[in-house]
Amino acid sequence: MRDVDLTQGPIAGHFRTLAVPAAMGMLFSTLYNVVDVFFAGQISTDAQAGLAIGFQAFFIMMAVGFGIGAAMGALVGNARGKKDDPTTRRTAMQGLSFAVVTCGLLIVLGAFCGPLLIQLVSEPGAYRDAATGYFYWLLAALPGFLIAYAGNGILQAHGDSVTMQRAMMAAFVANIGLNPLFIYGIPGVIPGIGFNGIALSTIVSQTGVMLFVLRAVLRLRVIEDARPAELRPDLASYREIAVQMAPTSASFVVLFVSGFVVQYALSRFGGHAIAAYGIALRIEQILLLPVLGMTGALLPIAAQNFGAAQPDRVRAALWFCWRVGGLITLVAAPILWFGGGLFMRLFTDDPAVIAVGHSYLKIDSVLFGIYMMLFSINSLLQAFKRPIWTLWISIYRQGFGVAFFIWLLIGVLGMDVWGVFLGIGIAVGTGWLLSLWIAIRISREEIGGLRG
């Protein structure tokens, strides 16, 4: 079983070991969602709308899983860096236990609150009914997501991002077969269940991901001798995990709300503007995958070396991430600026949608390197076990900043759709300056500064 000591050996090699599989895993996760959208489109427009809205409501609960994964990456990584096997094992086991307990609570809460949230963002009719039914089915997939994220955080803290990559590749392939099987069935053998078959496919495939990840966690050297009694909830451990989890999860919720703010602002310019933004985001996300792999790899590398009291290696990891991220930006930015229109045409032939989407991608090309630094700073702060600062950055950038600057540019200065995209750009740029100031300040306290 892969268990890499990230406190020794070349930093570049560790990034290569962690970043490439992580980026590939995220690519297949993105493609997984594309498959769901495709099959929903084969059913009806209402099914596609229901899929989008139902998943938005479910995403809030998934945000808790992202937070648990980040918490495990930081806490287990720190203990692993200190070569403290008992603490590593205890933290990992408590993390899995925390995920199970949290999952149970969220299922109960989601069953009551999910439909209410769907009602807030939809009108009565077929697509709302589809969204509500889809959401209820997805609740059964929540253990697969949360426990898998917790397990992946533990594995990444040990230098293993290959397991999740393989799991997501298998889930993607399974989803291609399971979607039509559950939607349409096999005549005379298995009855199809229609639109909700997409949710059932997610339940089955994500449960498989969870089991595959758990198998890898249980085969880790420090976990092999663990006893079931170590899963018993410990309030002190739960509190430590919650403190690390909450800011990251809250940041994703802020991101969720920010998306609604942008969509509301774009709605005044017509449905084509909203469609263009949605397509452009998909293009942006695909090009950001290498950056997300790099900055995600920074967390376990920095966490282990911070735990091992090796500040020089923490600094070296950050600067290596920035240098490689800068090279990726030099490639991606011109593609977004000059080729954005071409990429938009892969998704639509509407000239108005293409023009608006290309406008956003031009702004995005300027922001690409800034996103890279923002993501890496978030990973660094997580590694320092100071995630609360990532929340404050998110509240400013994705909460206040986006809403205020969009309002200023289109509400006060009367700009067109460019005002929305420039407002996002100003929020991101000023948020980057804030995060850089915070990173410099916290680094001085923890490792003597970013340059030593």
Side-chain angles (χ1 to χ4, degrees):
M1 177 54 56
R2 184 184 297 265
D3 186 352
V4 183
D5 185 351
L6 302 174
T7 64
Q8 300 177 11
I11 293 291
H14 293 323
F15 268 101
R16 185 168 55 252
T17 298
L18 287 165
V20 175
M24 289 296 295
M26 285 183 279
L27 172 62
F28 280 96
S29 178
T30 301
L31 294 175
Y32 183 103
N33 294 328
V34 170
V35 170
D36 284 351
V37 173
F38 171 80
F39 279 104
Q42 300 300 301
I43 299 172
S44 69
T45 300
D46 285 332
Q48 274 192 322
L51 179 78
I53 295 172
F55 189 78
Q56 277 185 319
F58 186 72
F59 181 84
I60 294 179
M61 294 189 291
M62 283 181 62
V64 175
F66 299 146
I68 295 174
M72 289 296 95
L75 296 173
V76 176
N78 272 221
R80 179 71 178 80
K82 294 175 181 176
K83 308 297 190 292
D84 186 346
D85 286 355
T87 300
T88 301
R89 182 176 62 251
R90 183 179 68 253
T91 304
M93 297 296 284
Q94 286 296 300
L96 294 175
S97 170
F98 183 89
V100 172
V101 173
T102 303
C103 185
L105 294 173
L106 285 176
I107 288 175
V108 174
L109 184 63
F112 287 100
C113 298
L116 298 177
L117 183 60
I118 290 172
Q119 289 176 23
L120 289 177
V121 296
S122 65
E123 297 295 329
Y127 81 98
R128 176 190 283 182
D129 294 339
T132 303
Y134 177 70
F135 175 84
Y136 276 131
W137 274 83
L138 276 185
L139 287 176
L142 192 61
F145 282 104
L146 262 65
I147 298 172
Y149 290 151
N152 187 50
I154 295 167
L155 292 175
Q156 285 193 319
H158 286 81
D160 177 7
S161 58
V162 173
T163 295
M164 181 58 90
Q165 174 210 340
R166 292 174 177 171
M168 290 311 304
M169 290 174 66
F172 165 71
V173 174
N175 201 38
I176 294 174
L178 292 176
N179 262 322
L181 175 64
F182 293 143
I183 292 170
Y184 306 112
I186 300 176
V189 181
I190 301 174
I193 61 174
F195 170 63
N196 288 328
I198 298 175
L200 180 56
S201 176
T202 299
I203 294 168
V204 173
S205 56
Q206 192 59 44
T207 300
V209 169
M210 176 193 72
L211 294 174
F212 188 75
V213 169
L214 278 178
R215 174 176 174 270
V217 171
L218 295 176
R219 293 174 63 193
L220 289 169
R221 178 185 57 80
V222 296
I223 305 294
E224 286 180 341
D225 297 327
R227 303 181 308 277
E230 294 180 76
L231 291 169
R232 186 180 299 118
D234 175 75
L235 292 181
S237 296
Y238 272 31
R239 188 180 303 111
E240 184 180 32
I241 295 169
V243 167
Q244 292 295 312
M245 175 205 75
T248 300
S249 297
S251 294
F252 276 99
V253 174
V254 172
L255 173 63
F256 175 84
V257 174
S258 175
F260 275 114
V261 171
V262 173
Q263 289 178 336
Y264 176 77
L266 288 171
S267 66
R268 67 187 297 174
F269 301 108
H272 72 282
I274 297 176
Y277 179 66
I279 294 171
L281 279 181
R282 292 190 183 96
I283 297 169
E284 171 196 65
Q285 289 166 358
I286 291 172
L287 287 177
L288 276 172
L289 287 175
V291 165
L292 291 170
M294 284 290 299
T295 56
L298 177 62
L299 172 54
I301 295 172
Q304 275 203 26
N305 285 284
F306 180 64
Q310 297 193 55
D312 287 342
R313 286 179 65 85
V314 176
R315 285 189 289 267
L318 177 65
W319 284 99
F320 180 86
C321 185
W322 282 354
R323 286 194 299 270
V324 175
L327 293 175
I328 296 172
T329 300
L330 290 176
V331 175
I335 292 175
L336 288 167
W337 183 276
F338 295 106
L342 177 62
F343 285 116
M344 290 292 298
R345 290 185 183 91
L346 297 176
F347 294 88
T348 179
D349 56 4
D350 187 327
V353 173
I354 293 170
V356 173
H358 196 185
S359 299
Y360 174 79
L361 293 175
K362 285 183 176 180
I363 298 292
D364 199 51
S365 70
V366 178
L367 300 176
F368 197 91
I370 294 176
Y371 280 127
M372 178 272 296
M373 294 190 71
L374 279 165
F375 298 157
S376 61
I377 288 172
N378 283 349
S379 290
L380 183 69
L381 293 172
Q382 280 280 356
F384 289 156
K385 297 196 290 188
R386 306 284 287 273
I388 188 62
W389 290 106
T390 67
L391 175 58
W392 292 121
I393 294 168
S394 179
I395 288 174
Y396 169 76
R397 177 171 70 87
Q398 297 167 319
F400 168 80
V402 167
F404 174 75
F405 290 116
I406 288 177
W407 168 79
L408 180 65
L409 294 178
I410 68 173
V412 177
L413 299 181
M415 293 183 67
D416 59 11
V417 68
W418 273 93
V420 179
F421 300 149
L422 286 173
I424 295 172
I426 296 171
V428 171
T430 53
W432 165 66
L433 293 175
L434 173 64
S435 67
L436 189 59
W437 175 76
I438 290 172
I440 292 171
R441 178 173 170 269
I442 299 300
S443 295
R444 285 175 182 163
E445 297 176 7
E446 301 290 356
I447 59 172
L450 294 179
R451 289 189 173 276

